[in-house]
Structure formats: C-alpha cells, structure tokens
Amino acid sequence: MAESAGIGPDEREVLKLLALDGAMESRAQVTCSALGERLDVSTQTVSRRLQRLEDAELIDRQIVADGQLVGTTEPGEQLLRGQYADYRRLFEHQPEIRLTGTVTSGMGEGSHYISLPGYMRQFITKLDYEPFAGTLNVELDEPSIHARADLESIEPVRIDGWENDDRTYGPAFCWSVAVEVKDQAYEPAHIIAPERTHHADDQLELIAPEKLRAVLDISDGDELTTHVEK
C-alpha cells in the first residue's frame, strides 16, 4: 500500500500508539503532553505529527476540554495492517498466505464490472487469461481476516482505472492464488480487490478463466481455501 505523502516513521509511531490506546475501536482520549512523554519529544512536535496524520486523512480528531478524542480512519488502519504484515513476514517466515472461508452469494455486481472492456482488456494482458464474467465471493473465517493483512506485503497486479463518456471507473488490485475446495485444486485464479470497496475485510472476491462454482461443483456454505505464494 502506498503511504500518504509526508508520513514517515515518526508519524507511524504516533499512529501505533493511538491504536494501542483504543483509537481503532472507537476514539482514544489523549493529550499532546502525555504522548510527548511516551515518545520523548516535545508537545509541539507531537502536535505537528498529529496534524500531519490528520492532513493525510489517517486520523480524525475532536478537541475537547481535557485533550483530544482521536480515531483512526480506514486508510489509517490499512497503513497499520501493512506494518503488521511486514513484521509477520520478518518473524514467521511462512512460505504462503492461506485464507479460508465459506462460499457466499454476492450482490451480483461482479458480472457487470468484470466484463467492462476497460477492465477486460487489462485482465487479458496482465493476467494472461480472459476471466469468467463474475466473481466468487468468500466470507473469511476469523484467523483469515487477520491473515488477509499479509497481502499488503505482496506486490499485486494493478488494474488501472479508466473512464468512458458516462463515468470514471477506479483501479483494482489482483493477487495470484491457487484455490482448494473439496480436495480439489484449481489455478490460475486471482483475488481481486477494488482500490475503494464496499466490502469489509471478511469478504474476498475471486476471478478465474472459468465459472468456479460450476467447474468445482461448489455451493454456498462450502469451505474454500486460497493459497497465495509470498
């Protein structure tokens, strides 16, 4: 994940402390002086770092009588998840990322977006296949929700945004996976994630050259695992 301009290790350290204080769950009540003591820097330095985090839309905050109420935004949480993924790579040395969940029905939008010519041309060129016009939706289990952060440490295939006379379509990212279900293995396939998505972290979308439900004989409720090589 590309970091926001002006955000360096000092700002990331502040963001981490805010998260440890509860800013990811709700809002953490903090003061610049208390944060300065923990970081061994001046109150003014903390204030500048908080301002940079706010300008980058990584936090939102409200000034109150006895300090500030600070919460991390979705981009702020994504930045932290990227850091978490890097540390897991350093210390766990896992050869692959395994994401497991159950097959679910999507909202029916995948067929429309996958088949749009501005995307389809790039799929054929960059993924080396023409995907079936639709996605397979997977609801991840709890361990996989956390493991999904490891995708941030792997360089994805970028599908560029484009526009036509009617509207602008945003970019997306793809990760190559092998699919395992019912003692069957299938590849090639890709996890696809729009840069801006309404899906929560527990939702995964897969594309492949064939309709996975048909070729693997799977239905809603079946358990499926994706293997992503690091």
Side-chain angles (χ1 to χ4, degrees):
M1 179 183 65
E3 294 182 10
S4 302
I7 300 302
D10 293 335
E11 288 75 23
R12 293 197 298 270
E13 182 67 16
V14 174
L15 190 64
K16 182 185 74 174
L17 289 181
L18 293 171
L20 290 171
D21 287 344
M24 285 176 60
E25 289 76 22
S26 56
R27 283 175 175 261
Q29 184 164 353
V30 299
T31 65
C32 288
S33 59
L35 284 173
E37 290 180 5
R38 294 164 69 183
L39 294 165
D40 195 26
V41 297
S42 69
T43 298
Q44 292 78 11
T45 296
V46 171
S47 180
R48 288 193 296 270
R49 293 176 186 175
L50 287 171
Q51 186 61 57
R52 284 194 286 269
L53 289 168
E54 185 176 36
D55 290 344
E57 298 183 349
L58 300 175
I59 63 170
D60 56 62
R61 54 182 177 153
Q62 176 185 357
I63 305 300
V64 294
D66 50 353
Q68 304 180 43
L69 296 176
V70 184
T72 56
T73 62
E74 183 177 344
E77 183 174 341
Q78 289 176 350
L79 190 152
L80 288 169
R81 286 185 180 276
Q83 296 294 302
Y84 169 67
D86 287 342
Y87 281 113
R88 287 192 63 179
R89 288 185 69 197
L90 283 173
F91 294 109
E92 295 186 5
H93 303 293
Q94 295 176 340
E96 66 174 17
I97 301 169
R98 291 169 55 95
L99 302 176
T100 298
T102 55
V103 176
T104 65
S105 294
M107 295 184 292
E109 295 180 345
S111 176
H112 170 67
Y113 285 102
I114 296 300
S115 61
L116 290 172
Y119 290 132
M120 185 61 75
R121 286 192 294 267
Q122 296 185 70
F123 292 142
I124 295 171
T125 301
K126 298 180 178 181
L127 305 185
D128 294 326
Y129 64 81
E130 179 178 335
F132 169 78
T135 61
L136 181 70
N137 293 74
V138 179
E139 184 174 343
L140 297 176
D141 59 23
E142 192 65 30
S144 296
I145 293 173
H146 298 294
R148 181 181 179 146
D150 287 359
L151 290 178
E152 300 286 353
S153 66
I154 300 175
E155 188 70 25
V157 177
R158 180 181 173 87
I159 306 298
D160 296 323
W162 56 284
E163 60 182 53
N164 57 22
D165 294 337
D166 298 322
R167 58 170 288 186
T168 298
Y169 296 89
F173 303 101
C174 294
W175 291 267
S176 178
V177 301
V179 176
E180 179 186 351
V181 61
K182 294 181 177 179
D183 296 323
Q184 304 174 83
Y186 182 97
E187 56 183 322
H190 285 81
I191 295 170
I192 184 166
E195 186 175 59
R196 296 184 180 275
T197 178
H198 54 266
H199 286 314
D201 288 341
D202 63 348
Q203 299 292 316
L204 205 66
E205 287 188 275
L206 302 175
I207 59 174
E210 303 171 276
K211 185 177 182 179
L212 291 174
R213 283 181 179 269
V215 72
L216 296 175
D217 188 27
I218 51 180
S219 305
D220 285 359
D222 287 339
E223 184 177 278
L224 178 148
T225 298
T226 61
H227 302 264
V228 190
E229 288 190 9
K230 292 185 176 181

